[in-house]
PDB file of all heavy atoms in Angstrom:
ATOM      1  N   ILE A 437      64.742 -39.532  35.027  1.00 89.00           N
ATOM      2  CA  ILE A 437      63.349 -39.082  34.967  1.00 89.00           C
ATOM      3  C   ILE A 437      63.160 -38.083  33.821  1.00 89.00           C
ATOM      4  O   ILE A 437      62.157 -38.129  33.115  1.00 89.00           O
ATOM      5  CB  ILE A 437      62.919 -38.446  36.313  1.00 89.00           C
ATOM      6  CG1 ILE A 437      62.961 -39.500  37.426  1.00 89.00           C
ATOM      7  CG2 ILE A 437      61.520 -37.842  36.207  1.00 89.00           C
ATOM      8  CD1 ILE A 437      62.807 -38.933  38.824  1.00 89.00           C
ATOM      9  N   VAL A 438      64.161 -37.216  33.645  1.00 89.00           N
ATOM     10  CA  VAL A 438      64.027 -36.181  32.621  1.00 89.00           C
ATOM     11  C   VAL A 438      64.161 -36.764  31.207  1.00 89.00           C
ATOM     12  O   VAL A 438      63.581 -36.234  30.266  1.00 89.00           O
ATOM     13  CB  VAL A 438      65.060 -35.047  32.867  1.00 89.00           C
ATOM     14  CG1 VAL A 438      64.996 -34.002  31.763  1.00 89.00           C
ATOM     15  CG2 VAL A 438      64.790 -34.390  34.203  1.00 89.00           C
ATOM     16  N   GLU A 439      64.883 -37.874  31.085  1.00 89.00           N
ATOM     17  CA  GLU A 439      65.145 -38.435  29.759  1.00 89.00           C
ATOM     18  C   GLU A 439      63.877 -38.692  28.933  1.00 89.00           C
ATOM     19  O   GLU A 439      63.780 -38.244  27.796  1.00 89.00           O
ATOM     20  CB  GLU A 439      65.981 -39.707  29.891  1.00 89.00           C
ATOM     21  CG  GLU A 439      66.753 -40.001  28.623  1.00 89.00           C
ATOM     22  CD  GLU A 439      67.664 -41.214  28.766  1.00 89.00           C
ATOM     23  OE1 GLU A 439      67.429 -42.036  29.665  1.00 89.00           O
ATOM     24  OE2 GLU A 439      68.586 -41.330  27.966  1.00 89.00           O
ATOM     25  N   PRO A 440      62.879 -39.392  29.509  1.00 92.00           N
ATOM     26  CA  PRO A 440      61.662 -39.586  28.717  1.00 92.00           C
ATOM     27  C   PRO A 440      60.977 -38.265  28.370  1.00 92.00           C
ATOM     28  O   PRO A 440      60.386 -38.145  27.292  1.00 92.00           O
ATOM     29  CB  PRO A 440      60.759 -40.427  29.622  1.00 92.00           C
ATOM     30  CG  PRO A 440      61.536 -40.795  30.811  1.00 92.00           C
ATOM     31  CD  PRO A 440      62.834 -40.105  30.801  1.00 92.00           C
ATOM     32  N   VAL A 441      61.078 -37.292  29.270  1.00 93.00           N
ATOM     33  CA  VAL A 441      60.476 -35.982  28.987  1.00 93.00           C
ATOM     34  C   VAL A 441      61.147 -35.367  27.757  1.00 93.00           C
ATOM     35  O   VAL A 441      60.495 -34.764  26.905  1.00 93.00           O
ATOM     36  CB  VAL A 441      60.617 -35.030  30.203  1.00 93.00           C
ATOM     37  CG1 VAL A 441      59.984 -33.676  29.902  1.00 93.00           C
ATOM     38  CG2 VAL A 441      59.969 -35.645  31.438  1.00 93.00           C
ATOM     39  N   LEU A 442      62.454 -35.580  27.675  1.00 94.00           N
ATOM     40  CA  LEU A 442      63.205 -35.045  26.537  1.00 94.00           C
ATOM     41  C   LEU A 442      62.738 -35.689  25.229  1.00 94.00           C
ATOM     42  O   LEU A 442      62.492 -35.004  24.241  1.00 94.00           O
ATOM     43  CB  LEU A 442      64.696 -35.299  26.758  1.00 94.00           C
ATOM     44  CG  LEU A 442      65.618 -34.852  25.633  1.00 94.00           C
ATOM     45  CD1 LEU A 442      65.545 -33.353  25.448  1.00 94.00           C
ATOM     46  CD2 LEU A 442      67.048 -35.262  25.930  1.00 94.00           C
ATOM     47  N   PHE A 443      62.578 -37.003  25.259  1.00 93.00           N
ATOM     48  CA  PHE A 443      62.088 -37.683  24.055  1.00 93.00           C
ATOM     49  C   PHE A 443      60.704 -37.173  23.686  1.00 93.00           C
ATOM     50  O   PHE A 443      60.407 -36.910  22.527  1.00 93.00           O
ATOM     51  CB  PHE A 443      62.038 -39.195  24.285  1.00 93.00           C
ATOM     52  CG  PHE A 443      63.377 -39.839  24.178  1.00 93.00           C
ATOM     53  CD1 PHE A 443      64.003 -40.362  25.285  1.00 93.00           C
ATOM     54  CD2 PHE A 443      64.024 -39.884  22.945  1.00 93.00           C
ATOM     55  CE1 PHE A 443      65.252 -40.933  25.176  1.00 93.00           C
ATOM     56  CE2 PHE A 443      65.279 -40.447  22.831  1.00 93.00           C
ATOM     57  CZ  PHE A 443      65.905 -40.979  23.966  1.00 93.00           C
ATOM     58  N   LEU A 444      59.903 -37.003  24.710  1.00 95.00           N
ATOM     59  CA  LEU A 444      58.547 -36.513  24.491  1.00 95.00           C
ATOM     60  C   LEU A 444      58.583 -35.118  23.876  1.00 95.00           C
ATOM     61  O   LEU A 444      57.830 -34.817  22.943  1.00 95.00           O
ATOM     62  CB  LEU A 444      57.816 -36.484  25.838  1.00 95.00           C
ATOM     63  CG  LEU A 444      56.307 -36.631  25.763  1.00 95.00           C
ATOM     64  CD1 LEU A 444      55.940 -37.991  25.193  1.00 95.00           C
ATOM     65  CD2 LEU A 444      55.691 -36.434  27.145  1.00 95.00           C
ATOM     66  N   ALA A 445      59.490 -34.282  24.394  1.00 96.00           N
ATOM     67  CA  ALA A 445      59.602 -32.914  23.881  1.00 96.00           C
ATOM     68  C   ALA A 445      59.978 -32.931  22.403  1.00 96.00           C
ATOM     69  O   ALA A 445      59.390 -32.210  21.595  1.00 96.00           O
ATOM     70  CB  ALA A 445      60.629 -32.124  24.684  1.00 96.00           C
ATOM     71  N   PHE A 446      60.940 -33.784  22.054  1.00 96.00           N
ATOM     72  CA  PHE A 446      61.323 -33.890  20.639  1.00 96.00           C
ATOM     73  C   PHE A 446      60.133 -34.334  19.799  1.00 96.00           C
ATOM     74  O   PHE A 446      59.839 -33.753  18.758  1.00 96.00           O
ATOM     75  CB  PHE A 446      62.470 -34.895  20.463  1.00 96.00           C
ATOM     76  CG  PHE A 446      63.820 -34.240  20.448  1.00 96.00           C
ATOM     77  CD1 PHE A 446      64.748 -34.493  21.448  1.00 96.00           C
ATOM     78  CD2 PHE A 446      64.161 -33.355  19.432  1.00 96.00           C
ATOM     79  CE1 PHE A 446      65.997 -33.885  21.431  1.00 96.00           C
ATOM     80  CE2 PHE A 446      65.409 -32.739  19.409  1.00 96.00           C
ATOM     81  CZ  PHE A 446      66.330 -33.009  20.422  1.00 96.00           C
ATOM     82  N   LEU A 447      59.445 -35.374  20.287  1.00 96.00           N
ATOM     83  CA  LEU A 447      58.315 -35.903  19.532  1.00 96.00           C
ATOM     84  C   LEU A 447      57.220 -34.867  19.370  1.00 96.00           C
ATOM     85  O   LEU A 447      56.731 -34.619  18.274  1.00 96.00           O
ATOM     86  CB  LEU A 447      57.748 -37.144  20.228  1.00 96.00           C
ATOM     87  CG  LEU A 447      58.494 -38.449  19.938  1.00 96.00           C
ATOM     88  CD1 LEU A 447      57.840 -39.599  20.676  1.00 96.00           C
ATOM     89  CD2 LEU A 447      58.490 -38.725  18.428  1.00 96.00           C
ATOM     90  N   ILE A 448      56.844 -34.241  20.494  1.00 96.00           N
ATOM     91  CA  ILE A 448      55.778 -33.242  20.441  1.00 96.00           C
ATOM     92  C   ILE A 448      56.170 -32.115  19.490  1.00 96.00           C
ATOM     93  O   ILE A 448      55.400 -31.730  18.613  1.00 96.00           O
ATOM     94  CB  ILE A 448      55.487 -32.678  21.852  1.00 96.00           C
ATOM     95  CG1 ILE A 448      54.775 -33.732  22.694  1.00 96.00           C
ATOM     96  CG2 ILE A 448      54.643 -31.414  21.760  1.00 96.00           C
ATOM     97  CD1 ILE A 448      54.522 -33.302  24.119  1.00 96.00           C
ATOM     98  N   HIS A 449      57.394 -31.629  19.668  1.00 97.00           N
ATOM     99  CA  HIS A 449      57.829 -30.512  18.823  1.00 97.00           C
ATOM    100  C   HIS A 449      57.752 -30.880  17.344  1.00 97.00           C
ATOM    101  O   HIS A 449      57.209 -30.128  16.533  1.00 97.00           O
ATOM    102  CB  HIS A 449      59.251 -30.099  19.201  1.00 97.00           C
ATOM    103  CG  HIS A 449      59.700 -28.844  18.530  1.00 97.00           C
ATOM    104  ND1 HIS A 449      59.257 -27.606  18.918  1.00 97.00           N
ATOM    105  CD2 HIS A 449      60.525 -28.631  17.482  1.00 97.00           C
ATOM    106  CE1 HIS A 449      59.806 -26.696  18.137  1.00 97.00           C
ATOM    107  NE2 HIS A 449      60.586 -27.282  17.262  1.00 97.00           N
ATOM    108  N   MET A 450      58.250 -32.054  17.002  1.00 97.00           N
ATOM    109  CA  MET A 450      58.294 -32.438  15.592  1.00 97.00           C
ATOM    110  C   MET A 450      56.913 -32.750  15.045  1.00 97.00           C
ATOM    111  O   MET A 450      56.560 -32.309  13.956  1.00 97.00           O
ATOM    112  CB  MET A 450      59.220 -33.646  15.411  1.00 97.00           C
ATOM    113  CG  MET A 450      60.673 -33.279  15.600  1.00 97.00           C
ATOM    114  SD  MET A 450      61.778 -34.611  15.175  1.00 97.00           S
ATOM    115  CE  MET A 450      61.387 -35.839  16.378  1.00 97.00           C
ATOM    116  N   ILE A 451      56.123 -33.491  15.832  1.00 96.00           N
ATOM    117  CA  ILE A 451      54.801 -33.876  15.321  1.00 96.00           C
ATOM    118  C   ILE A 451      53.905 -32.650  15.161  1.00 96.00           C
ATOM    119  O   ILE A 451      53.278 -32.442  14.130  1.00 96.00           O
ATOM    120  CB  ILE A 451      54.153 -34.946  16.229  1.00 96.00           C
ATOM    121  CG1 ILE A 451      54.963 -36.243  16.141  1.00 96.00           C
ATOM    122  CG2 ILE A 451      52.708 -35.205  15.820  1.00 96.00           C
ATOM    123  CD1 ILE A 451      54.570 -37.291  17.163  1.00 96.00           C
ATOM    124  N   TRP A 452      53.918 -31.797  16.191  1.00 96.00           N
ATOM    125  CA  TRP A 452      53.059 -30.617  16.108  1.00 96.00           C
ATOM    126  C   TRP A 452      53.552 -29.640  15.041  1.00 96.00           C
ATOM    127  O   TRP A 452      52.755 -29.002  14.358  1.00 96.00           O
ATOM    128  CB  TRP A 452      52.894 -29.944  17.471  1.00 96.00           C
ATOM    129  CG  TRP A 452      51.645 -30.392  18.146  1.00 96.00           C
ATOM    130  CD1 TRP A 452      50.475 -29.679  18.224  1.00 96.00           C
ATOM    131  CD2 TRP A 452      51.401 -31.640  18.803  1.00 96.00           C
ATOM    132  NE1 TRP A 452      49.517 -30.430  18.886  1.00 96.00           N
ATOM    133  CE2 TRP A 452      50.058 -31.636  19.247  1.00 96.00           C
ATOM    134  CE3 TRP A 452      52.162 -32.775  19.048  1.00 96.00           C
ATOM    135  CZ2 TRP A 452      49.473 -32.694  19.942  1.00 96.00           C
ATOM    136  CZ3 TRP A 452      51.591 -33.846  19.729  1.00 96.00           C
ATOM    137  CH2 TRP A 452      50.280 -33.801  20.162  1.00 96.00           C
ATOM    138  N   ALA A 453      54.870 -29.547  14.896  1.00 96.00           N
ATOM    139  CA  ALA A 453      55.415 -28.691  13.837  1.00 96.00           C
ATOM    140  C   ALA A 453      54.927 -29.189  12.485  1.00 96.00           C
ATOM    141  O   ALA A 453      54.518 -28.408  11.629  1.00 96.00           O
ATOM    142  CB  ALA A 453      56.937 -28.674  13.879  1.00 96.00           C
ATOM    143  N   ALA A 454      54.939 -30.516  12.308  1.00 97.00           N
ATOM    144  CA  ALA A 454      54.507 -31.095  11.039  1.00 97.00           C
ATOM    145  C   ALA A 454      53.016 -30.840  10.806  1.00 97.00           C
ATOM    146  O   ALA A 454      52.612 -30.424   9.717  1.00 97.00           O
ATOM    147  CB  ALA A 454      54.813 -32.588  11.007  1.00 97.00           C
ATOM    148  N   ILE A 455      52.207 -31.048  11.851  1.00 96.00           N
ATOM    149  CA  ILE A 455      50.758 -30.829  11.711  1.00 96.00           C
ATOM    150  C   ILE A 455      50.485 -29.381  11.311  1.00 96.00           C
ATOM    151  O   ILE A 455      49.765 -29.100  10.348  1.00 96.00           O
ATOM    152  CB  ILE A 455      50.019 -31.140  13.038  1.00 96.00           C
ATOM    153  CG1 ILE A 455      50.120 -32.635  13.365  1.00 96.00           C
ATOM    154  CG2 ILE A 455      48.546 -30.722  12.947  1.00 96.00           C
ATOM    155  CD1 ILE A 455      49.579 -32.992  14.747  1.00 96.00           C
ATOM    156  N   LEU A 456      51.087 -28.447  12.056  1.00 97.00           N
ATOM    157  CA  LEU A 456      50.844 -27.028  11.797  1.00 97.00           C
ATOM    158  C   LEU A 456      51.315 -26.648  10.394  1.00 97.00           C
ATOM    159  O   LEU A 456      50.647 -25.908   9.679  1.00 97.00           O
ATOM    160  CB  LEU A 456      51.562 -26.173  12.848  1.00 97.00           C
ATOM    161  CG  LEU A 456      50.983 -26.268  14.266  1.00 97.00           C
ATOM    162  CD1 LEU A 456      51.958 -25.665  15.280  1.00 97.00           C
ATOM    163  CD2 LEU A 456      49.644 -25.552  14.368  1.00 97.00           C
ATOM    164  N   GLN A 457      52.476 -27.188  10.015  1.00 97.00           N
ATOM    165  CA  GLN A 457      53.029 -26.850   8.709  1.00 97.00           C
ATOM    166  C   GLN A 457      52.121 -27.351   7.580  1.00 97.00           C
ATOM    167  O   GLN A 457      51.864 -26.621   6.631  1.00 97.00           O
ATOM    168  CB  GLN A 457      54.431 -27.445   8.581  1.00 97.00           C
ATOM    169  CG  GLN A 457      55.117 -27.100   7.278  1.00 97.00           C
ATOM    170  CD  GLN A 457      55.350 -25.608   7.124  1.00 97.00           C
ATOM    171  OE1 GLN A 457      56.086 -25.009   7.879  1.00 97.00           O
ATOM    172  NE2 GLN A 457      54.686 -24.997   6.145  1.00 97.00           N
ATOM    173  N   VAL A 458      51.619 -28.581   7.721  1.00 97.00           N
ATOM    174  CA  VAL A 458      50.743 -29.116   6.670  1.00 97.00           C
ATOM    175  C   VAL A 458      49.470 -28.274   6.576  1.00 97.00           C
ATOM    176  O   VAL A 458      49.018 -27.896   5.491  1.00 97.00           O
ATOM    177  CB  VAL A 458      50.426 -30.608   6.931  1.00 97.00           C
ATOM    178  CG1 VAL A 458      49.315 -31.097   6.019  1.00 97.00           C
ATOM    179  CG2 VAL A 458      51.684 -31.450   6.724  1.00 97.00           C
ATOM    180  N   GLN A 459      48.909 -27.908   7.733  1.00 97.00           N
ATOM    181  CA  GLN A 459      47.723 -27.038   7.718  1.00 97.00           C
ATOM    182  C   GLN A 459      48.049 -25.711   7.036  1.00 97.00           C
ATOM    183  O   GLN A 459      47.230 -25.162   6.293  1.00 97.00           O
ATOM    184  CB  GLN A 459      47.252 -26.759   9.147  1.00 97.00           C
ATOM    185  CG  GLN A 459      46.567 -27.952   9.782  1.00 97.00           C
ATOM    186  CD  GLN A 459      46.091 -27.636  11.192  1.00 97.00           C
ATOM    187  OE1 GLN A 459      46.615 -26.740  11.858  1.00 97.00           O
ATOM    188  NE2 GLN A 459      45.117 -28.389  11.657  1.00 97.00           N
ATOM    189  N   ASN A 460      49.243 -25.195   7.296  1.00 97.00           N
ATOM    190  CA  ASN A 460      49.623 -23.914   6.710  1.00 97.00           C
ATOM    191  C   ASN A 460      49.765 -24.001   5.195  1.00 97.00           C
ATOM    192  O   ASN A 460      49.402 -23.066   4.482  1.00 97.00           O
ATOM    193  CB  ASN A 460      50.918 -23.397   7.337  1.00 97.00           C
ATOM    194  CG  ASN A 460      50.692 -22.943   8.775  1.00 97.00           C
ATOM    195  OD1 ASN A 460      49.548 -22.835   9.221  1.00 97.00           O
ATOM    196  ND2 ASN A 460      51.757 -22.672   9.481  1.00 97.00           N
ATOM    197  N   TRP A 461      50.293 -25.127   4.731  1.00 97.00           N
ATOM    198  CA  TRP A 461      50.365 -25.298   3.271  1.00 97.00           C
ATOM    199  C   TRP A 461      48.965 -25.398   2.681  1.00 97.00           C
ATOM    200  O   TRP A 461      48.695 -24.859   1.615  1.00 97.00           O
ATOM    201  CB  TRP A 461      51.187 -26.552   2.923  1.00 97.00           C
ATOM    202  CG  TRP A 461      52.656 -26.333   3.010  1.00 97.00           C
ATOM    203  CD1 TRP A 461      53.324 -25.169   2.702  1.00 97.00           C
ATOM    204  CD2 TRP A 461      53.668 -27.265   3.429  1.00 97.00           C
ATOM    205  NE1 TRP A 461      54.678 -25.345   2.908  1.00 97.00           N
ATOM    206  CE2 TRP A 461      54.922 -26.609   3.343  1.00 97.00           C
ATOM    207  CE3 TRP A 461      53.639 -28.591   3.840  1.00 97.00           C
ATOM    208  CZ2 TRP A 461      56.127 -27.237   3.671  1.00 97.00           C
ATOM    209  CZ3 TRP A 461      54.835 -29.216   4.162  1.00 97.00           C
ATOM    210  CH2 TRP A 461      56.068 -28.542   4.078  1.00 97.00           C
ATOM    211  N   MET A 462      48.079 -26.087   3.400  1.00 97.00           N
ATOM    212  CA  MET A 462      46.720 -26.261   2.881  1.00 97.00           C
ATOM    213  C   MET A 462      45.918 -24.964   2.893  1.00 97.00           C
ATOM    214  O   MET A 462      44.949 -24.819   2.161  1.00 97.00           O
ATOM    215  CB  MET A 462      45.985 -27.337   3.687  1.00 97.00           C
ATOM    216  CG  MET A 462      46.518 -28.726   3.380  1.00 97.00           C
ATOM    217  SD  MET A 462      45.589 -30.091   4.103  1.00 97.00           S
ATOM    218  CE  MET A 462      44.678 -29.383   5.421  1.00 97.00           C
ATOM    219  N   ALA A 463      46.337 -24.024   3.721  1.00 97.00           N
ATOM    220  CA  ALA A 463      45.599 -22.762   3.824  1.00 97.00           C
ATOM    221  C   ALA A 463      45.787 -21.887   2.591  1.00 97.00           C
ATOM    222  O   ALA A 463      45.082 -20.890   2.419  1.00 97.00           O
ATOM    223  CB  ALA A 463      46.024 -21.999   5.078  1.00 97.00           C
TER     224      ALA A 463
END
Side-chain angles (χ1 to χ4, degrees):
Chain A
I437 296 169
V438 176
E439 204 176 21
V441 180
L442 178 63
F443 282 111
L444 207 63
F446 265 115
L447 278 180
I448 288 176
H449 188 75
M450 289 188 295
I451 293 170
W452 264 258
I455 294 172
L456 291 166
Q457 182 63 64
V458 169
Q459 286 181 336
N460 289 349
W461 281 326
M462 288 188 340

